[in-house]
Amino acid sequence: IIVISITLLSLYSFASDATVTATGAISVGDLNTNTFSCYIFIGVMSAIYLIEESSKKLVKCLFWFVLFVFFVVQINSASRRGFLILLFCIITYIHSLIFLKNKNNIIYKILTISTILIGLVIIIDNLESLMGDTVLWQRFFHNQTKGDQLRKLYQGVAFSLFSQNPVFGNGFGCVQSTIGMYSHSLYFELLACCGLLGTILILFPIMRRCIRFWKLSNNNQFEIRDRMQQRILSIWCIAMLM
């Protein structure tokens, strides 16, 4: 249901009445591009999980095609964070395929690593010609938007509030009540609102699950499909914290 919903959402972003922001980024309806990017992230991780869930090659190919659609849409949305997290998820998943699922298949490992290296050389050599005109490329290397400057301001205020009460923080919504806007950062917001104590209490369960999933993925007592799914869940937790 998640993959179908977000695939439809992604396909709608190619429609003529899709939302185009002032910077040229593409979204859907009134969704902020970063919010739209978060939906794409959930779709990516769900599709990757289902690739390992299915035993049918046709279904796996369908999900890989869906991932390609998500990749294109993520570029069009021009969310820098979203794009970097997408790359992280795909690279770590491919790493798991090579060194966890097929670690005993030497030929597979050699062919896969060789193919990836050749692909990377080709992509890097043509990166600017491929992406130089995209809004995402401009946001990474050329355009410092007003939003970037405002984020620095918001996070500066959040850190100042944290400095006033570093242990317990100043309560939920303290940044919003001070400047009329939240800090646009999970970590600055937690520190300002909850202090070090609250930040640890909120983030520790996620980190604990991340470590637990990773350890289970390395447990040879489980079937390889279960181990891969545990690894995917661990990657998901890491990406959330990113």
Side-chain angles (χ1 to χ4, degrees):
I1 290 172
I2 291 173
V3 171
I4 291 172
S5 301
I6 297 178
T7 299
L8 292 173
L9 194 68
S10 300
L11 292 175
Y12 187 72
S13 71
F14 293 108
S16 58
D17 57 343
T19 303
V20 180
T21 68
T23 62
I26 298 174
S27 184
V28 173
D30 59 355
L31 285 179
N32 176 282
T33 51
N34 285 318
T35 305
F36 182 42
S37 174
C38 289
Y39 281 111
I40 301 302
F41 161 65
I42 296 171
V44 166
M45 294 310 303
S46 299
I48 289 175
Y49 189 90
L50 290 174
I51 287 173
E52 292 306 315
E53 177 75 18
S54 176
S55 58
K56 297 180 179 180
K57 290 185 178 181
L58 181 60
V59 175
K60 288 178 180 286
C61 289
L62 178 62
F63 283 123
W64 275 107
F65 174 74
V66 168
L67 281 176
F68 175 74
V69 172
F70 290 159
F71 187 82
V72 174
V73 172
Q74 191 70 274
I75 292 175
N76 290 341
S77 72
S79 170
R80 291 166 294 188
R81 176 194 61 194
F83 181 72
L84 290 176
I85 290 175
L86 175 67
L87 285 181
F88 166 79
C89 292
I90 292 176
I91 290 169
T92 48
Y93 173 59
I94 292 173
H95 175 273
S96 299
L97 285 176
I98 298 171
F99 295 101
L100 184 64
K101 190 172 183 178
N102 297 281
K103 65 178 181 179
N104 296 322
N105 190 334
I106 303 300
I107 295 176
Y108 176 89
K109 287 172 68 172
I110 293 173
L111 288 175
T112 304
I113 293 172
S114 300
T115 303
I116 291 172
L117 289 175
I118 293 170
L120 283 174
V121 169
I122 294 172
I123 291 171
I124 292 171
D125 192 45
N126 298 278
L127 189 60
E128 187 163 5
S129 61
L130 290 171
M131 295 187 63
D133 295 330
T134 64
V135 177
L136 180 65
W137 181 274
Q138 298 300 317
R139 291 199 68 204
F140 264 121
F141 299 109
H142 299 291
N143 292 344
Q144 282 291 314
T145 65
K146 184 178 179 181
D148 295 329
Q149 297 168 359
L150 288 173
R151 280 184 177 87
K152 291 180 181 179
L153 172 65
Y154 302 152
Q155 289 159 18
V157 171
F159 190 78
S160 176
L161 289 170
F162 162 68
S163 301
Q164 295 172 21
N165 197 348
V167 179
F168 298 106
N170 299 277
F172 286 119
C174 67
V175 182
Q176 175 88 25
S177 64
T178 303
I179 55 174
M181 181 60 66
Y182 67 99
S183 62
H184 286 70
S185 165
L186 169 68
Y187 300 102
F188 278 101
E189 193 75 14
L190 284 177
L191 288 171
C193 296
C194 308
L196 286 172
L197 181 61
T199 299
I200 292 170
L201 288 174
I202 291 173
L203 295 183
F204 177 74
I206 302 175
M207 295 176 180
R208 183 170 175 269
R209 283 183 177 272
C210 173
I211 295 169
R212 179 172 176 269
F213 288 140
W214 191 274
K215 287 182 177 178
L216 288 172
S217 72
N218 290 319
N219 191 332
N220 293 322
Q221 294 179 352
F222 294 105
E223 295 289 334
I224 188 62
R225 187 182 74 169
D226 295 328
R227 292 173 62 195
M228 281 296 294
Q229 289 177 342
Q230 298 293 336
R231 178 62 62 87
I232 291 166
L233 291 172
S234 181
I235 293 169
W236 197 328
C237 290
I238 295 169
M240 285 171 59
L241 295 172
M242 292 172 66

